[in-house]
């Protein structure tokens, strides 16, 4: 195992470099003074060059080849297999393209940010065109089975093909879109109304969020919760940080972003220490990542049982809440509305926002849409799926940062993860008959321990479809999610769905 | 200037790597979750290897040699000169020694920390012996003029010789030690007493500190103030961060650590942007660094004029302070006492703590003291200079972290910087006749601008003695500091000194 050991050492140093990148980016988003931005860009660019060089080095290649010939156990073999996959993907891209993408990125983000602020899509269009061309080139370098979108998707969801996603999304479109319409049309009462006009100081919201995420099992000794413009999770091993945002007029954004990110964070914290800095110390895919965050955010965090346990905490943090009552709060955190912005969408409508992005992205990567058509196509699809038409591009196709960051193929994983939550929770309930009692009495460790032993500990050992099959005994199905939504929202809004 | 330009580019990348190290260390001291420590040590060790490799590379050597032959202006020449100095120092140390020092460091810090906590010098002794041996080896590698201590000193105070420090310190011993004794013996009233038993919440202390450091000119757009176990300043260019500590029963530690570190920070913020990431974007020496922090902390920050301006801010932050009155506050911030701990020592007694460390360090590096004798020698010297004998080693020779961090030769710069403050301020007063009125009306930019144009902008262009001569028209003299102390404390304690 001499080569394997040396490979693990090399991966350790690559891991260190990538952790450094996480800290620098985290710092940039949370605390960095504004005048540090110029240097930070140079630091990150230098770091990515150093990482790319090592990730594509002949040393690494040699170690992989030698390790493949050694006697290894199943876990070790999957470490070598995934390392090889990473290496092969990394060497496929010419350094000039990697550099070009890195150089375009900050410019595209800046243009997007300005365009979004000023509702000026034409300002962003040339940069989007450039990013798209680069991503098409990336797809050509990586290669693909049916369509270049396979290569885009594969960056976030390894081994999953566009055609498989299409099957799932077609069913969603057929069965879920009409269901959501029935719910939206059936909403007679605005469950947010009783909480309008209230004030919740930021620091108290952060206190409450910390209590909640600690309560569900996020390890604050190996992580932190801070504020940032957009919530995110970063880091690995013993330092996995999450961020949230705060709206002082509404508790929902801070609470549910915190619980969501803590769900991501707990997945990463659940990797086994002996596999830190190897592919088994990394998340398997973004759909699985999202299944963990959404499970805690929605299935647990928006459940009646969860608030049965935590309502007293809300009241003790914000005494003015007492008179509203727990049941009104439960309805508030589950209020359903047609809305333009994906990140503000409720649990019911969220997937519709993904459907439209998936369609547009496929046409983009496939070269079947002119950039200038995107705003129009976006708005048409919003009308078709959500039933409202954006009044401008800021609340339309300019709302998300993803494309400016070259992240094309990322969006579908949000919906795939969403769908998986209900399927996983169904299996969890079967494995733990007392699960719902546990939740309503604040006992979250049985569920977390189960997720750890079923999913987290494996890192990248299994793909998303393999993991789905292992954990739930069947491939991903939309039924579980549809039934979950029917049952929960039928009761909530008094509808027979 | 082709080689010079490439040299600047190479220095830029070295600068990026060193900034990354600053951020990682800052994060470790302020915010890092406890379980991140293992990875952080690996990240920093990898980074220091990467930096050492580039700082000793043949590429760098070649660029220096070529640049030396090019037509350069005075500033550019000094950049090449100082880069060459750094390179020559770096290559002098064998990589094995650098590695050994890096490996010993965390162990020595840990042993020191435990020994300090448990008052157990023998626990630290073997590690101290090891660190000392390494530092003697370093001195032998670097070479020296008269004594190995020259090489130790040179790491912090370039080009200054032990014999020159000895002359200054001998005069201090002769003239200053008796003066301090007269002041200490003359103290009849405890100026801290009126403030005993008060409570000052941490967050309000941080608010006040931010107001003060912003007021004197520290740029919070290019820096931050945070909490850490020990105050420090780190970073460069547009991201220069300072930290402070808080004692909720006394305002002095947070305020004066903040102003002190902001003084360091403003020196770094005063480097010219066009010289960022070159030696002209670095501080010239630690004595000069300390002269800036102490000038703001003591000469400005403990002056009657400063509090004339800022007393209302203290009162508005802590209304209970109003009844104490500004004059009592002024006496409180300047109370003088015999004390064991250097970092808690007042402006008058501080230098005595340095005298004893300088004597012990010389004997250590010179091989003229057995490690086991240190506690005894320390206590004898404390009795001789300060007039009190530590009851244990925690309040004696175990109090400072420096030796465990291999920092031997660092301490003298604290006193040299202290002495220089009064000499610089004398020149500043001559250059700006309205200076004291400016201070008492909160106008700090004339002084800061003057310091920038006289000192900060030059970076490492001039050494500490050269800079002293340029700014004050004469070499470093103890008279200015002695006169400052006599005048201020004679009035404060009603003594004729």
């Amino acid at each position: 195992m001499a080569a394997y050991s040396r490979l693990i050492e090399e991966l350790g140093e690559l891991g260190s470099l990538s952790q450094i990148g996480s800290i620098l980016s985290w710092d940039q988003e949370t605390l960095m003074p504004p005048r540090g931005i110029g240097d930070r860009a140079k630091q990150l660019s230098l770091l990515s060059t150093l990482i790319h060089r090592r990730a594509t080095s002949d040393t690494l290649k040699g170690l992989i080849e030698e390790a493949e010939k050694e006697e290894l156990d199943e876990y070790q073999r999957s470490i070598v297999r995934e390392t090889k996959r990473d290496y092969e993907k990394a060497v496929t891209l010419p350094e000039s393209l990697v550099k070009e993408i890195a150089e375009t990125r900050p410019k595209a983000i800046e243009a997007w940010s300005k365009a979004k602020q000023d509702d000026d899509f034409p300002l962003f269009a040339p940069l989007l065109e450039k990013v798209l061309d680069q991503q098409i080139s990336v797809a050509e370098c990586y290669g693909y089975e049916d369509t270049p979108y396979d290569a885009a998707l594969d960056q976030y969801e390894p081994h999953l093909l566009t055609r498989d996603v299409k099957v799932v999304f077609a069913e969603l479109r057929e069965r879920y879109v009409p269901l959501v319409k029935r719910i939206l049309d059936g909403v007679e009462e605005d469950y947010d109304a009783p909480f309008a006009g209230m004030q919740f100081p930021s620091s108290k919201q952060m206190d409450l969020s910390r209590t909640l995420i600690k309560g569900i099992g996020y390890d604050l000794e190996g992580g932190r919760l801070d504020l940032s413009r957009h919530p995110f999770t970063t880091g690995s091993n013993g330092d996995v940080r999450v961020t949230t945002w705060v709206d002082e007029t509404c508790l929902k954004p801070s609470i549910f972003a915190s619980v969501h990110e803590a769900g991501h964070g707990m997945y990463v914290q659940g990797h086994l220490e002996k596999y830190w800095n190897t592919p088994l110390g990394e998340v398997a895919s973004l759909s699985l990542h999202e299944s963990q965050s959404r499970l805690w955010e929605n299935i647990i965090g928006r459940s009646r049982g969860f608030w049965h346990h935590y309502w007293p905490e809300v009241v003790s943090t914000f005494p003015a809440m007492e008179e509203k009552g727990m049941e009104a709060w439960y309805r508030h955190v589950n209020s359903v509305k047609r809305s333009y912005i994906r990140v503000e969408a409720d649990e019911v409508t969220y997937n519709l926002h993904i459907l439209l992005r998936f369609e547009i992205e496929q046409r983009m990567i496939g070269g079947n849409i002119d950039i200038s058509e995107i705003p129009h196509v976006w708005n048409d699809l919003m009308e078709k799926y959500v039933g409202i038409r954006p009044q401008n591009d800021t609340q339309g196709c300019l709302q998300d940062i993803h494309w400016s960051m070259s992240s094309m193929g990322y969006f579908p994983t949000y919906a795939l993860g969403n769908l998986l939550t209900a399927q996983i929770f169904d299996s969890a309930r079967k494995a733990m008959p007392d699960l719902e009692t546990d939740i309503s009495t604040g006992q979250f460790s049985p569920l977390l321990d189960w997720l750890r032993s079923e999913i987290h500990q494996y890192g990248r050992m299994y793909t998303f479809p393999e993991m789905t099959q292992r954990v739930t005994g069947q491939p991903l199905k939309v039924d579980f999610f549809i039934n979950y939504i029917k049952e929960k929202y039928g009761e909530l809004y008094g509808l027979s769905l």
Side-chain angles (χ1 to χ4, degrees), chain A residues 292-397:
Chain A
Q292 300 307 293
S293 57
R294 289 274 166 184
L295 178 69
W296 289 103
E297 177 195 353
N298 289 335
I299 302 219
I300 308 301
R302 294 186 204 263
S303 70
R304 197 178 260 114
F306 184 83
W307 290 112
H308 176 78
H309 178 68
Y310 277 121
W311 176 244
E313 194 68 38
V314 175
V315 170
S316 86
T317 314
F318 303 105
M321 291 292 273
E322 186 164 15
E323 59 163 46
K324 306 289 175 189
M326 200 287 263
E327 195 56 28
W329 169 255
Y330 173 63
R331 290 196 297 263
H332 176 45
V333 304
N334 287 296
S335 78
V336 179
K337 270 173 191 160
R338 289 185 170 93
S339 64
Y340 299 111
I341 307 297
R342 176 185 59 85
V343 296
E344 295 168 5
D346 52 75
E347 175 181 34
V348 174
T349 56
Y350 190 93
N351 287 335
L352 310 183
H353 295 265
I354 301 306
L355 284 184
L356 84 89
R357 284 160 178 77
F358 179 61
E359 288 183 32
I360 296 175
E361 279 193 343
Q362 283 183 86
R363 290 177 62 183
M364 285 165 71
I365 301 277
N368 301 318
I369 191 172
D370 193 89
I371 292 289
S372 65
E373 292 176 72
I374 291 176
H376 176 71
V377 173
W378 181 289
N379 295 346
D380 286 351
L381 286 169
M382 270 297 284
E383 219 168 336
K384 181 173 158 197
Y385 293 141
V386 187
I388 47 176
R389 191 174 186 89
Q391 300 305 298
N392 54 55
D393 296 331
T394 299
Q395 57 182 216
C397 67

Side-chain angles (χ1 to χ4, degrees), chain A residues 153 157 160-170 358 412 416:
Chain A
L153 187 60
E157 197 44 69
L160 197 69
L161 297 176
T162 310
R163 62 177 183 235
D164 298 323
V165 181
K166 276 169 120 168
V167 170
V168 176
F169 281 16
F358 179 61
L416 295 169

Side-chain angles (χ1 to χ4, degrees), chain A residues 100-112:
Chain A
E100 203 195 306
I101 292 172
E103 281 169 4
T104 305
R105 197 185 155 102
K107 292 176 203 155
I109 293 176
E110 200 193 341
W112 162 76

Side-chain angles (χ1 to χ4, degrees), chain A residues 257-271:
Chain A
S258 298
V259 174
H260 178 97
E261 300 303 331
H264 282 306
M266 291 189 291
Y267 182 9
V268 182
Q269 289 182 333
H271 301 321

Side-chain angles (χ1 to χ4, degrees), chain A residues 233-249:
Chain A
T233 300
T234 191
S236 56
N237 306 355
D239 190 353
V240 183
R241 304 184 185 189
V242 298
T243 70
T244 190
W245 50 16
V246 166
D247 172 352
E248 293 210 318
T249 69

